[in-house]
Amino acid sequence: MTALFDTLASAGLWAATLRIATPLIFGTLGAVLCERSGVLNLGIEGIMTFGAMVGWLTVFNGGDLWAGMLAAALAGAAFGLLHALLTVTLGLSQHVTGLGITLFASSLSYFLFRLNVPLASSPPTIEPFQPLSIPFLSDLPFFGQAVFTQTAPTYLAILMAVFMTYVIFRTPLGLAIRMTGENPHAAEAQGINPVGIRYGTIMVGSALMGTGGAFLTLSAFNSFFPTMVQGRGWICIALVVFASWRPGRALLGALLFAFFDAFQLRLQAALGGIIPYQIFLMIPYFLSIAALAVMARRARVPQALMQPYRRGER
Amino acid sequence: MVHQHFSLAPNLTVLDNIMTGTEKLWSFKSETVTARTKLLGIVQRFGLDVDPDARLGDLSVGEQQRVEILKALYNDARILILDEPTAVLTNIEAERLFRTLKEMARQGLSLIFISHKLDEVMAAADRIVVLRGGKVAAERLVGQTSKADLAELMVGHRVTRPVRDQAAPGAVVFEVTGVTVRQGGVDRLKDVSFHLCAGETLGIIGVSGNGQTTLAHLVSGLAKPSDGGMLLFGEPVANLSVRGLIESGVGRIPEDRNKEGAIGEMSIWENTILERVWSPAFSKYGLVNRKAGMAFAERIIADFDVRGGKPASRTRLLSGGNMQKLILGRNLSDRPRILIAAQPTRGLDEGAVAAVHARILEARRQGTAVLLISEDLDEVIGLADRIQAIVNGRLSPAIAAETADPRRLGLMMAGEWRQTEGAVNAS
């Protein structure tokens, strides 16, 4: 029991929580944006992988770290454009298209990676983002260690959640996005172009997903391997429901999941000898499902989610 | 433009619904304060009171319609087009709407009121244009025309709805006592009691969305009672199965002919036998007897005057009236003992209405017990022998059709049947 308490009180646990949460925050915010306008984007898993690869490759070939993040965002937006073409313009099934994009983007990532980087026993590395040292704040006891030793993209992710909350709930653009997700016909009748809105949200949302992927190779690790996203995209899709499509709650949900994950890693270290480690690996997913079951029952789904918009049809 | 089906987002607030698209998309702040002031000004000017911060989905249908009108006025509309605006309203709400419309006209707005209900057009309009087959058939001033005149112009020839003769009620065939239907934690029907007699029509009136669909589903075996008892032909039944009901002679005209009544992409003959494809008449050794199906469809097409299709043509190509005749034919050709007709003439033209009414009266004359669920008061008064109102999942006591008039039915539909109860006992 004391071991448990010690773990909870260690700054390392909380620092790890923020670090693990960062790609989830980016990914969930991206998915929230897409779904708010009525489009499910299951391409997220592949787009994150692709973002991780493009970001890493940019830096590996001599680019700046921020150039890597930007390249990942642009690559994400490109896949967003593809998703929008297929689901909005052609009105194809959003499930099937999204899964197709995930398979395509994941495979393409590995292909392009291999074209550029020859097979080696130990993967090549880059110099990743370094923790920011913030004067005064980083020196605080405990808090300094727990919260203010992150790399820049982590703070960017948190700011992004605040910014998106403002845009969605306080600006005319946000209202137009929400209306498109609830009733695109009503939006159209009020002079809004639902097709344009959906293209915009899917591309920007996918750019955020790509950024989230790039965090993995440019900050959390320093090399790329094809399986590194490890289902984080699917967790983001679940977190969207957990968050009831609100960016603020998306931030909370991502932190909660990351906390479970950071915690189980430490439990593994402490109790790994007694209980098989696979049990610990299950914990965050199991708790996510439990939390989802409680939260999602009351969630208000955007009414037009997964409905293709065709002019003149009702 | 105010459509029959609203263009609103139920999860957003009234103000959000109205403000959408009225500001520059890229400005960094919504001017909600200014918008609210402007909205409240319009609310006052026309007496269209609605709470700007209510979630739209929590409002009644009448209020939602006011939001639609406000939305148009907020955009400084000078011409307002209302498409079948009363379809979803009680007649009391409709009267209120007519008063608002008169007030708008008085303040200089132009209004176009689209309706197929003659009473309403006469009540709401100053000038009437009759459309038939996509052409203007006539134009009349309200003071210089009559309902009969308009009906004739609409259909192109004189139509008279068939008249109900005296009923000869036989034995009780179906009896429901204190039934509650709970779905998804909501009581769709609460403590509902009614009975159907052979050779008699029971009319259920009510504003759309008060439990009519569940009631029709209950009697069709699609919704299960959570509480209460049912007697079918005198036998207690706990659960009705759809197939069991069809086999024991229950015919159904579903409320939405395109969704539940017929499958548009399948052929006419397939649709006619779909309900009893398992019966030996239409299948043998698990194979469909196509020949028998075709013959059955031919017979229905001839007997029920279904126009615009052959047995092998796709059902989707039929007009609404002809599809309804097909569904009627499928149910009535075997002389059902019970007929459930849910909104049987919704969206049909005057000529098709008369045909459907004649068939329902004919079935009743031959001893079928009819349950007529309709939002059209004239239809219920014209066809039913006894009338009950459905309000928020509850049924009023029955009144005799002879004592019904639109005012009394309006009160019943508003849930105020207690005021009329004395009259029921007296009659």
Side-chain angles (χ1 to χ4, degrees), chain A residues 163 166 170-173 175-176 178-179 182-183 185-186 189-190 192 197 300-301 303 314, chain B residues 5-9 11-12 16-18 20-21 23-28 30 55 71 75:
Chain A
F163 176 68
Y166 181 84
R170 290 282 179 273
T171 67
L173 179 66
L175 181 54
R178 282 185 288 145
M179 181 60 88
E182 296 288 340
N183 187 345
H185 300 279
Q190 293 280 83
I192 287 165
I197 293 280
R300 279 194 186 127
V301 192
Q303 295 289 299
R314 294 204 64 101
Chain B
H5 304 284
F6 301 146
S7 277
L8 296 167
N11 278 340
L12 304 186
D16 277 348
N17 267 286
I18 290 172
T20 304
E23 294 179 287
K24 276 213 192 81
L25 206 55
W26 298 104
S27 63
F28 200 62
S30 279
R55 197 181 77 96
K71 206 161 77 171
N75 288 317

Side-chain angles (χ1 to χ4, degrees), chain B residues 344-356:
Chain B
T345 59
R346 184 185 271 175
L348 300 188
D349 66 64
E350 206 47 45
V353 170
V356 170

Side-chain angles (χ1 to χ4, degrees), chain A residues 148-173:
Chain A
F148 296 108
T149 54
Q150 302 297 326
T151 60
T154 300
Y155 302 116
L156 180 67
I158 294 166
L159 285 180
M160 192 59 83
V162 177
F163 176 68
M164 252 180 69
T165 305
Y166 181 84
V167 170
I168 286 184
F169 295 108
R170 290 282 179 273
T171 67
L173 179 66

Side-chain angles (χ1 to χ4, degrees), chain B residues 129-422:
Chain B
V129 171
V130 180
L131 288 175
R132 186 173 71 234
K135 287 188 193 136
V136 172
E139 190 171 336
R140 296 277 189 278
L141 289 172
V142 165
Q144 299 166 6
T145 187
S146 67
K147 270 168 66 178
D149 182 28
L150 290 176
E152 192 178 333
L153 288 169
M154 262 167 77
V155 189
H157 55 84
R158 183 153 288 281
V159 273
T160 40
R161 290 195 179 184
V163 185
R164 178 169 55 96
D165 43 8
Q166 195 57 46
V172 173
V173 290
F174 190 60
E175 191 167 7
V176 169
T177 325
V179 161
T180 295
V181 175
R182 200 166 296 125
Q183 284 171 343
V186 181
D187 285 351
R188 304 282 174 194
L189 292 179
K190 292 167 209 156
D191 193 18
V192 160
S193 300
F194 64 93
H195 65 271
L196 304 175
C197 299
E200 192 200 44
T201 300
L202 172 65
I204 306 284
I205 54 163
V207 181
S208 169
N210 269 294
Q212 287 96 327
T213 309
T214 316
L215 184 66
H217 281 178
L218 174 76
V219 187
S220 317
L222 289 167
K224 307 287 177 219
S226 336
D227 202 7
M230 298 191 288
L231 292 172
L232 180 64
F233 308 122
E235 304 275 331
V237 277
N239 274 324
L240 302 170
S241 79
V242 176
R243 181 167 165 177
L245 280 171
I246 293 170
E247 279 172 349
S248 55
V250 177
R252 302 157 309 156
I253 305 171
E255 167 179 336
D256 187 333
R257 55 184 160 267
N258 294 307
K259 270 192 197 147
E260 289 187 344
I263 300 169
E265 291 306 317
M266 288 171 68
S267 65
I268 290 178
W269 75 267
E270 284 169 319
N271 269 295
T272 54
I273 66 164
L274 211 50
E275 283 192 326
R276 51 192 111 226
V277 70
W278 57 75
S279 90
F282 298 120
S283 63
K284 220 178 231 176
Y285 315 119
L287 296 172
V288 174
N289 185 344
R290 190 187 158 97
K291 222 171 173 181
M294 291 286 241
F296 185 55
E298 287 280 11
R299 211 179 85 211
I300 289 174
I301 289 174
D303 289 357
F304 286 81
D305 189 28
V306 180
R307 289 179 209 171
K310 294 196 169 64
S313 48
R314 263 183 305 167
T315 310
R316 192 164 58 82
L317 302 175
L318 294 179
S319 71
N322 282 307
M323 198 186 284
Q324 198 70 324
K325 284 188 215 162
L326 184 75
I327 293 169
L328 267 170
R330 172 172 86 189
N331 285 297
L332 293 180
S333 58
D334 281 352
R335 293 256 182 100
R337 297 177 67 184
I338 298 174
L339 178 69
I340 305 150
Q343 324 292 357
T345 59
R346 184 185 271 175
L348 300 188
D349 66 64
E350 206 47 45
V353 170
V356 170
H357 283 187
R359 290 295 180 179
I360 292 177
L361 286 172
E362 169 71 17
R364 160 179 164 276
R365 205 171 296 123
Q366 293 182 351
T368 301
V370 182
L371 174 63
L372 172 70
I373 302 171
S374 177
E375 287 153 26
D376 183 341
L377 290 188
D378 289 340
E379 176 166 282
V380 175
I381 294 174
L383 294 182
D385 303 301
R386 285 178 299 124
I387 301 174
Q388 288 177 274
I390 186 162
V391 181
N392 203 7
R394 290 180 188 280
L395 275 183
S396 73
I399 64 166
E402 286 69 31
T403 67
D405 59 60
R407 212 190 79 81
R408 186 171 177 195
L409 293 180
L411 283 173
M412 284 167 67
M413 283 160 71
E416 294 174 29
W417 57 69
R418 271 154 212 95
Q419 295 178 14
T420 60
E421 246 165 350

